[in-house]
Amino acid sequence: MAEDRRVGRIGRALRAQLAPSLIEIEDDSGRHAGHAGMRGAPAGGETHFNVLVVSAAFDGLARVQRSRLVHELLAPEFASGLHALSLTLRTPAEQARIAGA
């Protein structure tokens, strides 16, 4: 069932804890088919994702702190086969500056 797929679980975990104003999750696993993180992964492995999150929860946090927070929230996914995340983590003010540029 599509709702049980990793992208859905990632989205639910991030929405529940970060209340994002914007979230985009892209499964990038297909580009990593020969990569070590894909070895032994089931077909459609769902192991690599690009994630954009805009959340006020990131206010006052440095880039490394934001990344650690997201990795902690997704620890169960890493334990079950998630291999890599490409993260873009912004506050609403940062997103507004980028959107206005």
Side-chain angles (χ1 to χ4, degrees), residues 55-80:
S55 172
F58 298 139
D59 283 333
L61 296 180
R63 191 174 71 139
V64 171
Q65 291 171 309
R66 296 173 190 190
S67 181
R68 284 183 182 149
L69 173 60
V70 169
H71 278 81
E72 287 171 13
L73 295 174
L74 298 178
E77 295 301 324
F78 279 104
S80 68

Side-chain angles (χ1 to χ4, degrees), residues 42-55:
E46 294 188 311
T47 58
H48 293 71
F49 291 88
N50 298 320
V51 179
L52 165 66
V53 179
V54 177
S55 172

